[in-house]
Amino acid sequence: QIPQTIHDDIIAHAREGFPLEVCGILGGTGESVSAFYRMTNTDASNEHFMMDPKEQFAVVKDLRAKGLAMLAIYHSHPETPARPSEEDIKLALTPEVSYVIISLSDAAVPVINSYKISSGKVQLEAIETIV
């Protein structure tokens, strides 16, 4: 479950970063997202991303202080569909979090999908946008 405001923030982040990939972290409790963190893509690439480790540590510390958990890692695909690439699958090392991908391949209609990825297996998850 993602609040509409955070859903909109994720799309805005992807559009602002275009043509490069953007990335970030979503936090919350249970299945409900309540926190949104934009991260720096230190790779500055349109084909892959790497989060700044110092920023990641600060986010984890902030989530813990707020009693929240990391629920998802998100990133954009500026020119390809909202599904994990082979590299995304290979680098998905945290099976308990969701991997949210935003596609801007059709700039007029961004697509957001969420996946669980574990041991190379990819499972699409439903996203419920909460008003």
Side-chain angles (χ1 to χ4, degrees):
Q1 295 179 331
I2 300 177
Q4 185 68 53
T5 54
I6 292 177
H7 183 274
D8 294 346
D9 287 340
I10 293 168
I11 292 171
H13 188 200
R15 285 182 166 152
E16 288 166 24
F18 187 87
L20 303 178
E21 285 195 8
V22 301
C23 54
I25 294 174
L26 303 175
T29 55
E31 303 266 325
S32 298
V33 171
S34 59
F36 165 76
Y37 300 88
R38 289 180 179 212
M39 305 294 285
T40 301
N41 177 359
T42 59
D43 285 349
S45 168
N46 68 338
E47 295 180 347
H48 51 87
F49 74 96
M50 178 65 63
M51 290 186 190
D52 181 315
K54 289 180 184 176
E55 289 180 2
Q56 283 182 284
F57 181 75
V59 167
V60 170
K61 188 175 177 181
D62 189 63
L63 287 169
R64 285 186 186 147
K66 293 177 177 174
L68 302 174
M70 182 187 307
L71 299 183
I73 295 169
Y74 76 85
H75 74 280
S76 64
H77 282 183
E79 299 169 354
T80 57
R83 63 175 178 257
S85 66
E86 290 300 318
E87 182 178 6
D88 293 336
I89 295 167
K90 183 176 81 174
L91 296 176
L93 303 175
T94 314
E96 63 273 9
V97 303
S98 295
Y99 293 88
V100 174
I101 301 174
I102 307 94
S103 173
L104 297 178
S105 62
D106 178 350
V109 185
V111 174
I112 298 180
N113 287 326
S114 182
Y115 302 88
K116 286 287 190 184
I117 304 173
S118 180
S119 302
K121 292 185 171 62
V122 178
Q123 180 179 354
L124 181 66
E125 298 181 293
I127 295 176
E128 181 182 357
T129 305
I130 307 299
V131 179

